[in-house]
Amino acid sequence: MKTKEQIVKKALKLFLQKGFHNVSMAMIAAEVGISKPAIYHHFQNKDAMVEGVLDHFTNKMSEWSLVYFKNAPSGEQFLQKMFSAIPMYKNIELILLDEVNETYPNSYNDLLMILSKYKSKFRDRIALDIKGGREKIKQSIIDSQTANSVDKQIDPEKLSLLIHCILEGSAFIAEIDEDLDLNTASGDLFQMTWSLIKK
């Protein structure tokens, strides 16, 4: 693993463990095992570190999506895979850190909320990722309508927002409501959604 990627992953891990405002560049350097001046060779300041973490999210999720959706054509199968991923979206930090069954006091969603309030440039950057995800959902809906599997009377823009809200909202709710079985709920939500939009 390249030093820069290692630094970003250690920074993200510390943000999840200790909270964004409680982590310094010196702490990240110590966690990586490099000197404080050495970390500034890769990241000019903490803001640049945040940009690195957000870039890591974008790149990692693009790689993950290519593999996860590889054999899922548009339409019912693609949508079902999307809903089946809700439990993974809830624990997205495990994908970002290449871990299994780790738990952290803070989630990646917690971090995004803090960053979006910390600086407007981070909010704008996070919004780009969110809009990009919704655009992929919209394109899948358009492809499904073209293939005649989704009702062509439905506005793809509005439906993509609805599906995006279901996916993100379910993952967020499950962070709070520990009694919610996401594996069951994700299947139920898919069946309900599909029954409303299928041709």
Side-chain angles (χ1 to χ4, degrees):
M1 181 187 308
K2 293 179 181 175
T3 304
K4 193 166 185 176
E5 182 184 357
Q6 186 182 6
I7 292 169
V8 165
K9 288 174 80 171
K10 292 290 187 183
L12 175 55
K13 195 166 188 170
L14 283 171
F15 293 157
L16 299 176
Q17 288 172 335
K18 301 179 181 299
F20 171 72
H21 293 292
N22 299 320
V23 176
S24 67
M25 293 291 279
M27 289 169 68
I28 298 167
E31 187 72 19
V32 176
I34 60 176
S35 67
K36 190 175 174 183
I39 201 167
Y40 286 106
H41 171 72
H42 296 281
F43 296 96
Q44 186 177 9
N45 51 38
K46 195 171 177 182
D47 281 9
M49 181 69 70
V50 169
E51 293 287 351
V53 167
L54 296 175
D55 286 344
H56 177 70
F57 171 84
T58 303
N59 296 334
K60 193 74 173 174
M61 291 313 297
S62 292
E63 292 170 9
W64 177 84
S65 294
L66 284 173
V67 174
Y68 183 76
F69 291 106
K70 184 177 181 181
N71 297 315
S74 62
E76 182 178 6
Q77 191 178 5
F78 186 88
L79 192 66
Q80 187 170 23
K81 289 260 319 177
M82 201 177 296
F83 276 76
S84 295
I86 293 173
M88 288 179 268
Y89 297 148
K90 175 186 175 281
N91 297 306
I92 202 76
E93 50 274 1
L94 300 183
I95 294 171
L96 299 177
L97 295 170
D98 300 309
E99 295 177 341
V100 180
N101 295 328
E102 288 289 330
T103 55
Y104 297 98
N106 303 286
S107 70
Y108 189 72
N109 283 334
D110 294 332
L111 177 62
L112 292 183
M113 289 304 295
I114 289 166
L115 293 177
S116 68
K117 292 177 181 179
Y118 177 61
K119 288 199 174 172
S120 61
K121 70 175 182 176
F122 297 143
R123 182 186 62 241
D124 294 344
R125 169 59 200 282
I126 293 163
L128 274 179
D129 279 335
I130 290 171
K131 289 173 185 173
R134 190 159 58 248
E135 191 58 38
K136 289 177 184 174
I137 296 170
K138 178 183 167 185
Q139 189 56 55
S140 170
I141 292 164
I142 292 169
D143 292 345
S144 300
Q145 288 175 322
T146 302
N148 215 27
S149 60
V150 168
D151 186 345
K152 292 181 181 178
Q153 300 300 312
I154 299 173
D155 181 340
E157 188 80 39
K158 292 176 183 174
L159 181 56
S160 65
L161 177 59
L162 175 65
I163 290 172
H164 199 190
C165 287
I166 292 170
L167 299 175
E168 295 286 345
S170 300
F172 173 76
I173 289 167
E175 284 188 38
I176 309 298
D177 181 0
E178 294 180 355
D179 294 331
L180 180 62
D181 178 0
L182 267 188
N183 292 313
T184 301
S186 61
D188 292 343
L189 288 167
F190 162 72
Q191 292 295 339
M192 186 182 302
T193 305
W194 182 248
S195 70
L196 294 170
I197 69 172
K198 69 181 180 180
K199 184 81 170 73

